[in-house]
Amino acid sequence: MHIEPGIISGAKIAAANLTAIGLAAAQAPQLVKQPQLVLRTLLAALFFSVFMQSFHLPAGASELHFIGAMPIYLTLGFVPTLLGFGLGLLLQGVIFEPADLLHLGVNFLSLAVPLLALHLGLGRRLAAGAATEIRSVLKLDAAYYAGVAIMVGFWLSMGEVATPSPSG
């Protein structure tokens, strides 16, 4: 899901962009400490972009995407997934939807905050155990997408424009 342009005020977008930059910058030193994470981050961005383009459906003031978050997270790790989502969103904006670049921070945080919460909570525990079991992956996926939906709701609640009702 992502927020369409014109919903959130410029000041709130600027705050989101600064927060997103801070979150990405806090994780970026891992790429220097572990250079193999650079390739994983590029792969995460590629897979994210392919998944995101494979399915997208308008949903009110947002858009629903399939992003393959849990397979990417469980295969490539937390830092590559987090930074790959940001890089993937940037590439998506540059190549397909330049208007989305304005909301890059908002859309990144919509994906990154639930990923961070999941990683710090359920992710470490399930990944340490039997994360390859379908049941565990589905739990992680459900928790992650619930978090994304909550983040989108958060952004819409802060919007400057009334969002369309389900009836029209």
Side-chain angles (χ1 to χ4, degrees), residues 148-168:
V148 172
I150 289 168
M151 283 300 296
V152 169
F154 167 75
W155 294 119
L156 292 177
S157 73
M158 291 179 48
E160 304 296 317
V161 176
T163 56
S165 67
S167 62

Side-chain angles (χ1 to χ4, degrees), residues 1-2 20 23-24 27 31 37-38 40-52 65-93 100-101 103-119 140-141 144-145 147-148:
M1 295 182 126
H2 75 267
L23 179 57
Q27 299 302 319
L31 299 178
L37 294 181
V38 173
R40 289 184 188 176
T41 298
L42 294 173
L43 287 171
L46 174 68
F47 290 136
F48 168 78
S49 296
V50 168
F51 288 144
M52 200 166 127
H65 293 271
F66 171 69
I67 58 173
M70 287 308 95
I72 294 170
Y73 169 71
L74 293 171
T75 304
L76 300 174
F78 170 69
V79 171
T81 302
L82 180 80
L83 297 177
F85 284 177
L87 182 58
L89 284 169
L90 177 63
L91 291 173
Q92 294 290 318
D100 284 351
L101 290 173
H103 283 120
L104 185 61
V106 169
N107 292 327
F108 174 69
L109 290 174
S110 294
L111 300 175
V113 169
L115 182 67
L116 181 60
L118 180 122
H119 177 69
L140 287 170
D141 231 18
Y144 177 73
Y145 285 109
V148 172

Side-chain angles (χ1 to χ4, degrees), residues 4-21:
E4 296 293 332
I7 302 293
I8 302 172
S9 74
K12 292 172 186 169
I13 291 171
N17 288 340
L18 288 174
T19 303
I21 290 168

